[in-house]
Amino acid sequence: MTDTVDTIKAGDDEQVVQGIAVTFMATYDIVQRAKEIGANLIITHEPTYYNHEDKVGWLAEDAVFAAKKRLVDESGVTIFRFHDYCHRRVPDFILLGMLEALGWQEYSSKEQPKSPLFVTIPGMTLRDIANHVKESLGAPFVRVVGKDELVCRRIGLLSGYGGVGARAIPFFHNDDLDLVIAGEGPEWETPEYVRDAVAAGFAKGLIVVGHQKSEEAGMQSVANYLRDRFKDIPVSFLGGHQALRVM
Amino acid sequence: MTDTVDTIKAGDDEQVVQGIAVTFMATYDIVQRAKEIGANLIITHEPTYYNHEDKVGWLAEDAVFAAKKRLVDESGVTIFRFHDYCHRRVPDFILLGMLEALGWQEYSSKEQPKSPLFVTIPGMTLRDIANHVKESLGAPFVRVVGKDELVCRRIGLLSGYGGVGARAIPFFHNDDLDLVIAGEGPEWETPEYVRDAVAAGFAKGLIVVGHQKSEEAGMQSVANYLRDRFKDIPVSFLGGHQALRVM
C-alpha cells in the first residue's frame, strides 16, 4: 500500500527489539506500561496523537501533546501503527478476533473473504446479544437501537468506525440483516436509520459497542500471531479500560 | 450561503403553511406526529435520510427509505432543514438554547459572538456537572472522561458534532478549559486526548451528551422564536427520546 497510516510514529526504527507490546491505542498509560515491562516496540491499532493521520503540527503548542511526546521520547519506545494491513489481511485480524471472542466462529460464512463478517446464529434476542457482547468483548456498556425482544439471526459485524452510515446501512438491505454490531459511527446516520426502520415496522437492531472494545480482541489476535512467529521476543498484549464511561 | 444543506427536502414549497413542527430530526415518528397535529411544515435540524447532505441515490433500493418516503409523500408535509443558518446566527440558536437549558446565561462571556460558547462557572465537580447536564438537557445518560471530583470552572460548550478533535482539542489549550461539553465526536480523538491529559496530570474533563440532547434545547429556542414572529400559525416543538439507549 502506498497510501497507508501504517508507519513508525515515534522512536528509532533501527533499535533491536527487546519486547513487543501490542495494544488498541498507545495512550500515555500504555506507553508507561510498555516501558515497565521492558517492551521497546509498541504496535498500536489506532493513532497516538488524536487524529487518523497522526498529524502533529496543529498540536505544536499543546501542553498535553508536549507531555506525551516527552514521555514517548524518554521511554525510548518505537511506536508502529498496524491498522490498514491489519484490516486488509484475509481474514481481517480485527474481525477474526471479535468473532472468536464472541464464540461465533461456527456461524460465520466460510466463503466470505473480508469485512463485514456475516454470521447466522440460532435465534437470540437483542437483549441477550447485547449482554453477550458486553461480557465477551469486555465492554462496560453498549448503546442499542431496537426492541429488547427482537429475535436476531442474520448479523453483520463491523469493527471500529464501521458504524458509519454509508458503510453499515446498505448491509441491512443488501444482506438482509436483522442486526449490525459496530464499533462506533455518527449518531445521525445508522442509529437514525434503525430507529426509522423500527418505527416503520421492520425487525432491525443495532448494537454500538464502542471503538476500543470492538477492536481490542482483534489486537489480542495480533499479539498471539506475533508470539507464534517471534519465539525469542516477549510479546505482551496490553488491554484496559476504554476512555469513555457512562454516567 | 451558496453551499448549504438548508434546503427543502420533501414536499411542496408553494403550499400554505397550516402549522409548523420544529424538531431535532424528521424521523418516521416525528413525521407521523406532525401530521397528527396538523402541521404541514417540519423544520428539522438534522437530515431526513441518514447522511448530512440528504443524498438518496444510495438508498434507491432500500425498503426503509421507501417506507419513509411513502409516509412523507402521503402525509403531505414539507420538510425544511434549518441547520447552517441556525448555527451561523449570532448568537447560535443551538448553543443559546443549550446555555439557557443549563441555566448558565449569567456565566457566559458577553463579547463572544459565536461557537463555542465559553462559560466560567463557580467551581463545580465533573460529577455534579454531568448530573446537571443530564437533568437540564433531558439526556438519559452522558459519556464522560475525567475524574468525578475534578473541579471545573472554565467550560466550552460545543453542540452536535463539535466533539470532533480538530474542533474541540485546541480549545483546551488555547482557551485554558477545564471541561468541554459536546454532542458527539469520534472516540479516538477528543476522548483519547482527555484520557492522556488526565494520565499526564492535567485537570481536564469531557462530557459527551449525545447529538440529539445537545441540540434539542436549541431547536426549542427556534420554535419559540418562530412562535413570536408568526402569531397566526401554530408552532409546535416536537421532542422525544434519542435513538440510542444504554444497556
Side-chain angles (χ1 to χ4, degrees), chain A residues 125-144:
Chain A
T125 66
L126 182 57
R127 183 201 294 114
D128 288 346
I129 295 173
N131 286 327
H132 176 64
V133 164
K134 284 165 64 176
E135 194 170 330
S136 54
L137 301 183
F141 64 91
V142 293
R143 290 178 297 157
V144 173

Side-chain angles (χ1 to χ4, degrees), chain A residues 22-25 45 86-87 89 92-103 133-139 157 159-160 209-225 227 237-240:
Chain A
V22 179
T23 192
F24 165 70
M25 185 175 292
H45 188 63
C86 192
H87 287 301
R89 179 185 180 243
D92 178 324
F93 260 124
I94 298 293
L95 285 170
L96 188 66
M98 192 183 187
L99 184 74
E100 288 173 356
L102 290 165
V133 164
K134 284 165 64 176
E135 194 170 330
S136 54
L137 301 183
L157 305 180
S159 63
V209 177
H211 203 124
Q212 178 168 341
K213 294 303 171 182
S214 79
E215 300 203 302
E216 210 166 45
M219 290 308 282
Q220 174 78 65
S221 297
V222 170
N224 296 343
Y225 178 91
R227 204 175 284 123
F237 172 73
L238 299 183

Side-chain angles (χ1 to χ4, degrees), chain B:
Chain B
M1 295 175 82
T2 53
D3 185 21
T4 177
V5 294
D6 291 9
T7 59
I8 300 280
K9 305 300 182 186
D12 181 357
D13 61 0
E14 297 283 339
Q15 73 174 328
V16 175
V17 176
Q18 307 292 344
I20 300 174
V22 179
T23 191
F24 165 70
M25 186 175 291
T27 63
Y28 195 94
D29 174 60
I30 292 288
V31 174
Q32 288 178 315
R33 287 167 60 194
K35 189 183 173 188
E36 279 163 22
I37 63 169
N40 64 348
L41 173 62
I42 295 176
I43 297 180
T44 179
H45 188 63
E46 290 298 352
T48 304
Y49 292 119
Y50 329 119
N51 67 102
H52 181 58
E53 288 155 334
D54 270 314
K55 289 179 180 162
V56 297
W58 65 299
L59 295 167
E61 303 294 320
D62 188 283
V64 175
F65 167 71
K68 187 167 187 183
K69 188 168 185 320
R70 194 180 320 119
L71 172 72
V72 169
D73 291 346
E74 289 175 3
S75 66
V77 295
T78 300
I79 300 178
F80 172 67
R81 186 163 177 206
F82 186 52
H83 179 275
D84 297 343
Y85 284 93
C86 192
H87 287 301
R88 179 177 274 214
R89 179 186 181 243
V90 180
D92 179 324
F93 261 124
I94 298 294
L95 284 170
L96 188 65
M98 193 183 186
L99 184 75
E100 287 172 356
L102 290 165
W104 285 352
Q105 298 95 315
E106 64 181 302
Y107 304 133
S108 79
S109 125
K110 298 292 175 209
E111 311 82 58
Q112 69 184 2
K114 50 198 304 195
S115 167
L117 216 54
F118 298 119
V119 294
T120 305
I121 65 168
M124 197 173 168
T125 66
L126 181 58
R127 183 202 294 114
D128 288 345
I129 295 173
N131 286 327
H132 176 64
V133 165
K134 285 165 63 177
E135 195 170 331
S136 54
L137 301 183
F141 63 91
V142 293
R143 291 178 296 157
V144 173
V145 186
K147 294 176 182 170
D148 273 357
E149 302 305 330
L150 173 71
V151 176
C152 305
R153 290 181 184 82
R154 283 279 294 162
I155 303 175
L157 304 181
L158 287 159
S159 64
Y161 203 61
V164 66
R167 182 140 178 73
I169 291 172
F171 294 128
F172 278 103
H173 176 76
N174 297 341
D175 301 281
D176 196 24
L177 298 184
D178 305 318
L179 173 68
V180 162
I181 300 176
E184 64 164 317
E187 294 178 15
W188 67 90
E189 296 183 348
T190 311
E192 295 297 343
Y193 172 87
V194 177
R195 162 148 68 174
D196 275 354
V198 174
F202 295 90
K204 303 287 180 193
L206 173 69
I207 295 176
V208 181
V209 176
H211 202 124
Q212 178 169 340
K213 294 302 171 183
S214 79
E215 301 204 302
E216 211 166 46
M219 290 309 281
Q220 174 78 66
S221 298
V222 170
N224 297 343
Y225 178 90
L226 293 173
R227 203 175 285 124
D228 280 351
R229 270 150 197 78
F230 300 101
K231 296 200 185 293
D232 297 335
I233 304 173
V235 177
S236 303
F237 172 72
L238 298 183
H241 296 300
Q242 58 189 27
L244 291 157
R245 60 196 165 89
V246 154
M247 281 183 74

